[in-house]
Amino acid sequence: MFRVRLTLTWAPIVFALFACKQGGNASPAPSASQWVPAPSVAPVVSVAPAPAPAPGPAPAPAPSVACKGVTKQKLTALTAQAGEFGGLAVRSGNVYLLAFDQPAARATLKRVGRDGEGATVIGHSKSPGRISGLVVDDGAAYFVHGKALVKLPLSGGEATTLRQDVIRPIALAEDALWYVECNSGEKKDQLMSLPTGGGEPAVRASWPRTTPGKGCQYGDVVVTAEDVFVDDWTSRRVLKIARKDGAVRELASKMPFPIRIAVEPSDVVFQASGGLYRVPKAGGDAKKISDLGSTPFHFFAWDDSQFFVFNGEAYGMRHILSQLPKSGGRGKEIEWFQVKDVVMGSGVSDIAVDDSCIYLAKTGDAYVEVLAKPKPAAP
């Protein structure tokens, strides 16, 4: 995650730790969990209705192929691409890998079926600057290259720029891309939505920056039918923004390095430096559900019944993938990766999950590979 999800002050540390070589091993054993709080109130502010979304392409039917990890019944490679890790996404039975060749200033998007077949280079984005924030719909992939929000059609070709001066993270919802824009002159931040077909963005809400002079850095943006949830890395808080009127509510505060957000029917689970926390959407105390997932060296994915957490402990010799019930508690180790160089780590850079497999992007010497592992039943 973090390679993809970090444009943060200490991104160089994270990029270094997740950057290179390593090997992988497998065998099972368990892990742990505990607690911590945080309340809430809210400032805010200005709102403008979003433009009517343009009709998108018809959804592609999901392939009926089996995941290669399930077929092999073990962790197995799907494909690889030269370069550094830039992004990982899963959609409609396909896995998308974004890799960046820094000397050539070129990003490459590759697609492979979850059965390991049909690996195809879709296209490129050429520009200096790192890439991050990959999201995919049925017609295109979107990501931030340097400070440009770009669109790369899945039919192939070169990327086009939709908007300049955009920072990651970005989210996709209803044919629009959502992101936070930082206005340094006015010392406020704004939630924006931009049609995937291009055009001008709409301001959906705004709020005063609580840490003037410290810049603008956000960990995640998640859009639901009613609300948008945002992790503010700089001010160490999690925000809930009502789509109806743009009202902003602080759900959690004093949470160092908030990153990934998982939205549940009544609650929000988010990742911070202490692990995973759950807070009611209606407000209340944020309670720790697991020590697993502490950032910035850990990241997580989820399905309807469980979390999958990768723990890449700094300077540890063994990095671990665990499964964790939605209720929290003690995690169960389901895979481990040998660390051959404590500075570089195991090379695992992000994870994703679908209905049958867990997918891992793992950096090697000047290449990134995608691995698939059969998803275990919920504990």
Side-chain angles (χ1 to χ4, degrees), residues 98 106-109 122-127 131 140-143 145 148-153 156-162:
L98 193 58
R106 186 173 80 160
T108 299
L109 181 66
I122 292 172
H124 306 279
S125 173
K126 297 178 181 178
S127 175
I131 54 174
Y142 310 85
F143 52 93
H145 194 159
L149 175 54
V150 300
K151 175 180 181 178
L152 183 58
E158 299 294 307
T160 57
T161 298
L162 294 177

Side-chain angles (χ1 to χ4, degrees), residues 168-188:
R168 59 143 301 279
I170 56 176
L172 257 176
E174 300 160 12
D175 298 315
L177 293 155
W178 297 67
Y179 60 94
V180 176
E181 182 173 272
C182 303
N183 189 321
S184 56
E186 297 182 30
K187 297 188 171 83
K188 68 178 180 181

Side-chain angles (χ1 to χ4, degrees), residues 3 10-22 84 130 297 341-347:
R3 296 283 306 244
W10 46 317
I13 300 173
V14 178
F15 285 127
L17 277 162
F18 285 103
C20 280
K21 26 187 161 217
Q22 296 358 71
E84 303 175 17
R130 292 197 173 273
F297 307 107
D341 182 327
V342 292
V343 175
M344 298 305 182
S346 62

Side-chain angles (χ1 to χ4, degrees), residues 299-301 303 306-309 322-323 334 351 353 358 375-376:
F299 32 84
F300 80 115
D303 62 16
Q306 59 187 319
F307 298 115
F308 300 97
V309 189
S322 300
Q323 65 178 143
I334 56 175
I351 61 174
V353 66
I358 306 163
K375 188 171 69 174

Side-chain angles (χ1 to χ4, degrees), residues 2-340:
F2 287 114
R3 296 283 306 244
V4 112
R5 297 185 176 264
L6 280 174
T7 5
L8 313 167
T9 30
W10 46 317
I13 300 173
V14 178
F15 285 127
L17 277 162
F18 285 103
C20 280
K21 26 187 161 217
Q22 296 358 71
N25 255 346
S27 84
S31 225
S33 69
Q34 245 56 89
W35 110 272
V36 136
S40 56
V41 292
V44 193
V45 246
S46 80
V47 175
S64 57
V65 297
C67 171
K68 189 176 179 181
V70 172
T71 304
K72 297 284 187 180
Q73 280 301 299
K74 64 178 181 179
L75 184 71
T76 187
L78 294 184
T79 192
Q81 178 62 41
E84 303 175 17
F85 173 72
L88 177 69
V90 178
R91 185 177 178 87
S92 301
N94 292 306
V95 184
Y96 295 85
L97 173 66
L98 193 58
F100 182 58
D101 181 346
Q102 196 163 359
R106 186 173 80 160
T108 299
L109 181 66
K110 192 170 189 178
R111 177 178 58 211
V112 63
R114 66 182 186 177
D115 58 353
E117 299 297 324
T120 305
V121 170
I122 292 172
H124 306 279
S125 173
K126 297 178 181 178
S127 175
R130 292 197 173 273
I131 54 174
S132 58
L134 175 67
V135 292
V136 180
D137 64 17
D138 289 326
Y142 310 85
F143 52 93
V144 177
H145 194 159
K147 287 188 176 181
L149 175 54
V150 300
K151 175 180 181 178
L152 183 58
L154 298 184
S155 57
E158 299 294 307
T160 57
T161 298
L162 294 177
R163 187 79 177 170
Q164 290 286 356
D165 296 321
V166 173
I167 61 170
R168 59 143 301 279
I170 56 176
L172 257 176
E174 300 160 12
D175 298 315
L177 293 155
W178 297 67
Y179 60 94
V180 176
E181 182 173 272
C182 303
N183 189 321
S184 56
E186 297 182 30
K187 297 188 171 83
K188 68 178 180 181
D189 298 339
Q190 299 179 131
L191 177 66
M192 314 293 291
S193 65
L194 173 72
T196 55
E200 287 299 310
V203 178
R204 305 304 301 268
S206 67
W207 56 92
R209 190 167 309 148
T210 58
T211 51
K214 288 192 176 182
C216 171
Q217 297 168 343
Y218 286 84
D220 202 4
V221 175
V222 177
V223 183
T224 69
E226 296 83 24
D227 303 296
V228 180
F229 299 91
V230 175
D231 275 337
D232 186 344
W233 173 283
T234 309
S235 66
R236 302 183 173 194
R237 58 187 183 153
V238 179
L239 304 177
K240 171 187 170 183
I241 303 161
R243 292 181 58 177
K244 181 179 179 181
D245 58 8
V248 177
R249 176 171 189 153
E250 187 177 275
L251 286 184
S253 62
K254 298 179 182 178
M255 291 290 177
F257 319 128
I259 297 291
R260 201 163 285 188
I261 296 172
V263 179
E264 300 175 330
S266 302
D267 304 306
V268 173
V269 173
F270 64 93
Q271 183 183 2
S273 64
L276 299 183
Y277 296 81
R278 177 174 279 119
V279 62
K281 287 181 182 177
D285 290 343
K287 296 184 178 180
K288 184 187 280 192
I289 61 173
S290 179
D291 290 327
L292 297 175
S294 58
T295 58
F297 307 107
H298 304 174
F299 32 84
F300 80 115
W302 56 92
D303 62 16
D304 291 339
S305 60
Q306 59 187 319
F307 298 115
F308 300 97
V309 189
F310 179 80
N311 290 271
E313 202 64 57
Y315 303 107
M317 297 307 296
R318 199 170 178 268
H319 288 179
I320 297 167
L321 176 65
S322 300
Q323 65 178 143
L324 180 72
K326 280 290 184 78
S327 59
R330 188 174 179 83
K332 177 184 178 184
E333 181 181 316
I334 56 175
E335 193 76 43
W336 68 277
F337 296 84
Q338 183 67 51
V339 175
K340 296 177 181 176

